[in-house]
Amino acid sequence: MPDVNYDESNVPDYTLPDPLLRDDGTIIKTIDAWESEQRPHLLSIFEEQIYGQAPPLPDTIDRTSHVVEHIVFDALGVRRQITVPLLNSESSPTMLMSLYLPVGAFAPVDIFLGLNFNGNHSLEPDDSILISSGWERHNSDDEIGRGAKASLWSLEQILSRGYGLATIYHADITTDLKDGYDGNIFSYFYKDGQTQPEPNQWGAIGAWAWGLRRAMDYLLTHESSVNRIMLMGHSRLGKAALWAGVQDDRCALAVSNNSGCMGAALSRRAFGETVEAINTNWSRWLCKDFHQYNGKESDLPIDQHTLITLMAPRPVYIASAEDDLWADPYGEFLGGYHANLVYHLYGKEGLTATEQPILNQPSMGTIGYHIRTGEHDVTAFDWQCYLDFADYHLRT
Ligand code: GCU
């Protein structure tokens, strides 16, 4: 594999595919033509060649969920723990959701929904948080680490601003083990003799996105205290949040935190993580057919700005970190910036900054963006920006 490029002067010349250009060379000029022709066409490219086709979601959530409720953070919020079946069969795997809601809200609240890396119990040092079956399956020899990742979720800040949060351990849907196709959601859809998805079928990012959509099914049909849902994810789980958001218009707003390659960052820049690097190091995240683009970013029929256009006209926030060069902060900015064409078609402002903003200065258009000081992480400052962005779009 070529050396990693961190030098702006070595970024190759590239031309981005125009999301409004039809294959026959004509230009999409109306929202109707975008929604009826071009958007479905571009979405199918991501489905067929990149994240892979996922099976349809079950129509209903039939089995009763097991719910435990606690008051948390000195009565700032309530935490409900709910077991959500991924499928409707008796033997279905389940995901354990922690749903935090602010106490004292008079109407259903808008919530963030995101997968976590280390288990729901990593958000709070509290023994009442249940350990999910996915965590037991994959980490039973590890330290439990209650509260070890609390700083990534800023729960008190979220609740005190009147928003909720729902979170699920990502491996309740599929583990991140390199060859982990067994005992995961994939295996429930295999035909006889199949041991892994077909080359055009879902990878792990597709499966996580599917799980997020299943979680939305649950929240929007069984939780009367939940109003709108904002998908939020960090890094690999930010890639999944974006992919879930573009597929599902029940996602009112999406937040990509340091999502990098195959998230918000342009692939053609080949800065930091490349298509070849992601497919080599994380061979089951994208579909197998996507591996044909290793070292051939310019052959891609889309780039990641196209993914952001599929969120239009809904708000999207893209966040970078100064020291997170592997995720290509400038490429993440450009991924948002070049989505503007489609936001403008809707009469929306898109990303208003024409240059990458200076450090720690958010730009808040329909597409929000900031680059903060520090590393690949989620910080209280990041959350403050997401909450301001949610206020701006959902409360004014
Ligand atoms: C690796 C991977 C990235 C990913 C990151 C993460 O660095 O190469 O694509 O975003 O892990 O999920 O933290």
Side-chain angles (χ1 to χ4, degrees), residues 117 235-236 239 273 278 282 285 326 376:
F117 279 77
S235 209
R236 69 198 71 181
K239 307 179 209 293
E273 186 170 29
I278 203 167
W282 308 98
W285 281 1
W326 182 240
H376 187 70

Side-chain angles (χ1 to χ4, degrees), residues 38-53:
Q38 187 74 343
R39 189 182 186 284
H41 169 62
L42 296 172
L43 184 65
S44 75
I45 294 175
F46 282 102
E47 271 170 358
E48 299 288 333
Q49 300 185 40
I50 299 175
Y51 302 104
Q53 284 182 351

Side-chain angles (χ1 to χ4, degrees), residues 209-221:
W210 188 92
L212 283 168
R213 299 183 58 214
R214 181 72 171 156
M216 287 202 278
D217 285 347
Y218 169 77
L219 288 162
L220 294 173
T221 52

